[in-house]
Amino acid sequence: MRRHCNAVLPTALLLAASAAAAQPVSSPPSDAQVKARVDALLGQMTLEDKVGQLSQAAGISFGGAPGPEESLRRGGAGSVLWVNETKRFNALQKIAVEESRLKIPLLFGLDVIHGYRTIFPIPIGMASSWDPSVHERAAEIAAREARAAGVHWTFAPMVDVARDARWGRIAEGAGEDPYLGAAMAAAQVRGFQGPYLGAPDRLLACAKHFAAYGKADGGRDYDPVYVSETELRNVYFPPFAAAARAGVGSFMSAYMDLNDVPAGANPWLLRDVLRGEWGFSGFVVSDAFGTANLVTQHFARDGRDAAARALGAGLDMDMASGTFAKNLAALVKDGAVKEAQIDEAVRRILAVKVRLGLFEQPYADEARAAAVLADSKSRAEARRLAQRSMVLLKNERQLLPLKASLASVAVIGPLADSKADTEGSWMVFGHVPAAVTVLEGLRARLGSAKVAHAPGPEIRREVPSFFDDFIPGPKPPKQTPEAGEAAFRQAVETAKGAELVIAVMGERADMSGEAASRASLELPGRQQELLKAIVALGKPVVLVLMGGRPLALEWEAANVPAILEAWQPGSEGGHAVADVLFGDVNPGGKLPATFPRRSGQTPLYYAHTTTHQPEGSPMYRSRYWEGPAEALYPFGHGLSYTSFAYSNLKLAAPQVKLGVAVSVSVDVTNSGGVAGDEVVQLYLHQKAGSASRPVRELKGFKRISLKPGETQTVSFSLGPDELRYWSSFERRWVQEAEAFDIWVGTDSTAKLHADLAVVR
Ligand code: NOJ
């Protein structure tokens, strides 16, 4: 065991923090410089100091427990989460850098998921843009705001592939597809971290929840995941691998059992794959209380066992559970854990602190924070990115865009005027919702006199969320059935008086996200009943959907002429919806997740393997006897106010050698009357191989803008990266000399086809 050393590090060596905020570092230190500083620090640390760096303390106290101050003074925690106030960041930091023995700055972590002060669409919404620059830009602005306020580290991006819409956290990711998910994951890492870890105005990012959290049994949050290695490697890992390639500085392990070994204490996952295969050199944090939960999960005998096994598996930091803090030093003293193992984890965390420039600039500048948070340009960006996120699901007889000459509009529904529900499911700790609602957006566009509103009956979770306690403000009591009935009648009356009805319906913010799974996917509450009563009035009706997951909208799709998926569109959501409804902006988003017809179809995703009854077989028209088995709206679907024609699909060569790339091109023409965006999508299918391959897999996409009549040739490259897969038969990555189908088009049912042969 290393000898305790009480000397304080020389100031010059540490470039110790000064109370005044110094200039941020403007170029990254070299690996050798980082190592030298980490070595020097490590040499000064007691075992207890080291364990402190592996412990993340909660900045809020649970059940009257004391705050983290005392522990910080002793060097008992290296990181703090769940604080979100500049003054408090600075006060806690002062304890660490001025009162603790080694003066190692704290790393402040927070969930900055789709915005900090300026709120952008929820991640599934941003992924619907099929434009990675949307995610990148939102993350960049969120980073600038959060870093100015004093946050160093965001627990984002959430890159879990989710193929089961019942799972509430589908809202937080990029949907069902590994290829799209990988592009969105890398974009967010670039946006949060910037050109290098420690770049000014950026944050440390965290790819979570490693891995396969989205495959929870039955879509029930936290339930165990049973997943084959094939599916892990081909479907659930790619966005994580992409985040690692993009240089993400940290990973968060998932809570649940992964094939019976909790992800947070799974050495195959955290050591073999993450570090061994992918060469990840950052650190891994548990999910909140996750290390203590290893006992609850009946995996570890007690806290001691949990700490030893989590650390041994490759977990570096214990989020909020105190399990490392309580047990690791004793485990080393007993010889059950080697100090070298602890050193390894401490090094990774200190290296990140050095790279982030925390030793030079531990404090946030309050005046600068106020200025950055008041920057109105960020709101304009929120509006633009929200516009790009919207998906036009249906538009019968061109009901949309609406005419500016409309005499009167009724805006109906429980989500029409709710700021919190417009901002979405991941609200930053302590944030007060300040979104423009759809009602406000429409009133701003048309003038208040023309826009009537009635919310209809309330919708609420039948089982309340434990997160409700964190939402500031009084909680309205449950609506009585009588009041609900009166609200229903009022909504129908309001609709009667208008020329056109805009129904804003879907799910409230607390109906998706963590601990927000559902067993049914219909519109909750009496919304469908109200929609039926409104449609029965015979007026044109537009349904604006807000929420965090694909819904089962069989009736709505058959009976409502126009449907716009707005997701939870963020701070400027109401303006963005109005922009799209009135055609100032032509919607160009596409679905990143399949919409089922009925709840019982879940999990439903386009990239399934085929059966012995081929797709579309007349013998076997549906796998359900009471209805079709296909999607209501397929993956990649999204309409525009214009139309696009695809032609001239060409491969540079019909045959290509293994390991060589081939280029694919297609002409896309705006064949309608207005300018618009199209997401050109390329899918492939390997016709035979050492293992069965999905009927289609996305392997290229590009969002382009075309004027009426304009044609653009769009090219993709299909090389070994796109053509390889992990074969369960070979138990390795393979690229095989086989025949492939290629389709290019507007969604995952694209018909324009070409053949490709890969040969030896
Ligand atoms: C639990 C959630 O699963 C995770 O996504 C989040 O980052 C942590 N809590 C911290 O708030």
Side-chain angles (χ1 to χ4, degrees), residues 188-409:
Q188 287 178 82
V189 173
R190 287 195 302 271
F192 283 127
Q193 291 192 171
Y196 58 90
L197 193 54
D201 292 336
R202 305 291 177 127
L203 298 169
L204 163 66
C206 180
K208 71 183 188 185
H209 309 81
F210 196 48
Y213 183 26
K215 201 178 190 291
D217 260 1
R220 292 176 298 270
D221 203 10
Y222 314 133
D223 262 27
V225 167
Y226 291 96
V227 57
S228 65
E229 190 170 354
T230 318
E231 218 179 346
L232 274 174
R233 292 191 179 273
N234 289 319
V235 178
Y236 292 97
F237 281 173
F240 286 102
R245 275 197 304 276
V248 73
S250 70
F251 262 60
M252 184 187 295
S253 58
Y255 279 127
M256 78 301 140
D257 278 350
L258 177 67
N259 298 328
D260 290 340
V261 180
N266 192 314
W268 175 74
L269 200 60
L270 303 184
R271 286 198 184 277
D272 302 352
V273 174
L274 180 60
R275 298 188 188 289
E277 294 180 27
W278 300 350
F280 172 70
S281 61
F283 70 88
V284 182
V285 65
S286 72
D287 202 338
F289 312 107
T291 310
N293 293 343
L294 297 174
V295 182
T296 326
Q297 271 161 278
H298 290 202
F299 174 75
R301 276 189 301 275
D302 50 25
R304 207 180 128 86
D305 191 27
R309 289 166 80 180
L311 184 82
L315 190 88
D316 302 305
M317 189 185 281
D318 168 12
M319 183 188 283
S321 88
T323 308
F324 276 8
K326 269 187 225 111
N327 299 288
L328 281 184
L331 282 160
V332 172
K333 285 173 187 152
D334 297 352
V337 165
K338 290 202 177 55
E339 190 164 354
Q341 234 179 302
I342 293 191
D343 288 354
E344 199 192 329
V346 175
R347 281 180 177 286
R348 291 183 189 127
I349 292 164
L350 290 180
V352 167
K353 288 187 175 185
V354 169
R355 288 189 195 281
L356 285 176
L358 299 186
F359 291 94
E360 290 78 7
Q361 192 183 22
Y363 295 109
D365 175 338
E366 285 181 41
R368 178 156 191 274
V372 169
L373 298 182
D375 185 352
S376 58
K377 289 196 291 300
S378 307
R379 290 288 286 220
E381 278 296 82
R383 183 167 178 167
R384 185 178 72 82
L385 304 187
Q387 292 162 350
R388 289 182 81 72
S389 298
M390 289 183 195
V391 188
L392 182 61
L393 296 177
K394 181 181 176 190
N395 193 18
E396 213 169 72
R397 278 176 266 119
Q398 266 116 52
L399 175 57
L400 294 176
L402 300 174
K403 307 206 172 21
S405 59
L406 268 178
S408 62
V409 170

Side-chain angles (χ1 to χ4, degrees), residues 438-493:
V438 174
L439 179 65
E440 288 168 341
L442 289 167
R443 285 192 165 149
R445 186 72 174 62
L446 280 177
S448 293
K450 290 188 186 167
V451 183
H453 167 58
E458 72 164 13
I459 50 171
R460 68 162 69 207
R461 288 172 59 127
E462 278 143 51
V463 181
S465 166
F466 55 77
F467 290 110
D468 290 350
D469 295 343
F470 296 104
I471 296 172
K475 312 220 169 357
K478 193 169 185 329
Q479 195 173 47
T480 63
E482 297 72 34
E485 191 50 44
F488 190 100
R489 282 198 304 271
Q490 169 76 45
V492 177
E493 280 312 305

Side-chain angles (χ1 to χ4, degrees), residues 444-611:
R445 186 72 174 62
L446 280 177
S448 293
K450 290 188 186 167
V451 183
H453 167 58
E458 72 164 13
I459 50 171
R460 68 162 69 207
R461 288 172 59 127
E462 278 143 51
V463 181
S465 166
F466 55 77
F467 290 110
D468 290 350
D469 295 343
F470 296 104
I471 296 172
K475 312 220 169 357
K478 193 169 185 329
Q479 195 173 47
T480 63
E482 297 72 34
E485 191 50 44
F488 190 100
R489 282 198 304 271
Q490 169 76 45
V492 177
E493 280 312 305
T494 306
K496 266 187 200 157
E499 189 184 329
L500 177 136
V501 180
I502 299 175
V504 187
M505 296 180 171
E507 293 187 342
R508 294 186 43 154
D510 69 355
M511 291 175 170
S512 62
E514 187 180 348
S517 293
R518 289 186 73 187
S520 59
L521 296 174
E522 288 75 32
L523 285 173
R526 296 181 65 190
Q527 293 181 101
Q528 192 191 76
E529 191 189 338
L530 179 57
L531 200 55
K532 283 182 174 167
I534 290 169
V535 168
L537 299 174
K539 294 182 187 291
V541 178
V542 177
L543 173 59
V544 174
L545 286 169
M546 276 178 33
R549 56 158 61 80
L551 293 172
L553 302 168
E554 202 170 30
W555 183 88
E556 292 78 358
N559 295 285
V560 181
I563 307 179
L564 177 72
E565 176 58 86
W567 305 107
Q568 287 153 347
S571 298
E572 288 288 309
H575 285 320
V577 166
D579 295 336
V580 169
L581 292 182
F582 284 93
D584 302 337
V585 169
N586 189 351
K590 301 277 187 172
L591 291 179
T594 303
F595 272 47
R597 288 165 190 275
R598 301 182 191 181
S599 310
Q601 286 177 283
T602 44
L604 187 68
Y605 48 93
Y606 81 96
H608 57 87
T609 53
T610 192
T611 70

